[in-house]
Amino acid sequence: QVQLVESGGGLVQSGGSLRLSCTTSRFTLDKYAIVWSRLASGKAREGVACIDNRDDTTYYSDSVKGRFTISRDSAENTVYLQMNSLKPEDTAIYSCATDIICAWAVIGREGHVLPSGQIGPWGQGTQVTVAS
């Protein structure tokens, strides 16, 4: 299995924006659902967004809904994560992976993007730091 490559992270002030990219030169991303997740220090990995491979339907965890937008550019073989209105609690390493489907469920009164049992390996990620 091939890791995807993420880029676009950086340091931004609270309220700012970043656009992350996820790509590979090894295969066509259109064949897969793509999941973005984040790993913050001392916390479990959290799925934040997913775009499916049938009609590009998008799914978001409640923690980012309305602020983050996932999109696919087939010509560039890239999936983007546009992050607006960033908060200090968004600070994390953001990674992407292929999956067979997008999964979303309510856990503890909040909606969460979840990896399926066949998710591919997470990329090495890109650091996003939001200063207060």
Side-chain angles (χ1 to χ4, degrees):
Q1 290 181 315
V2 177
Q3 285 183 318
L4 304 181
V5 179
E6 304 90 346
S7 62
L11 172 64
V12 64
Q13 295 294 315
S14 181
S17 298
L18 285 172
R19 188 178 76 161
L20 307 184
S21 300
C22 169
T23 190
T24 180
S25 61
R26 301 287 295 274
F27 54 86
T28 301
L29 294 182
D30 283 355
K31 297 180 179 179
Y32 301 92
I34 303 296
V35 182
W36 277 100
S37 73
R38 62 188 181 187
L39 186 61
S41 179
K43 296 186 178 181
R45 183 178 294 280
E46 175 191 15
V48 297
C50 186
I51 185 165
D52 79 14
N53 59 328
R54 294 167 296 172
D55 57 7
D56 285 351
T57 299
T58 57
Y59 302 81
Y60 300 94
S61 291
D62 284 357
S63 58
V64 305
K65 190 174 183 179
R67 300 188 297 122
F68 290 13
T69 302
I70 187 171
S71 62
R72 187 191 299 272
D73 185 330
S74 298
E76 296 293 327
N77 202 38
T78 299
V79 171
Y80 297 102
L81 186 67
Q82 177 68 43
M83 306 187 298
N84 299 328
S85 301
L86 283 163
K87 306 174 182 180
E89 51 263 44
D90 294 319
T91 295
I93 297 173
Y94 285 72
S95 301
C96 59
T98 59
D99 208 336
I100 58 169
I101 59 169
C102 287
W104 184 94
V106 175
I107 302 173
R109 297 185 180 183
E110 289 193 356
H112 294 268
V113 167
L114 303 172
S116 78
Q118 297 186 43
I119 193 165
W122 295 109
Q124 291 190 341
T126 184
Q127 176 72 48
V128 172
T129 303
V130 185
S132 58

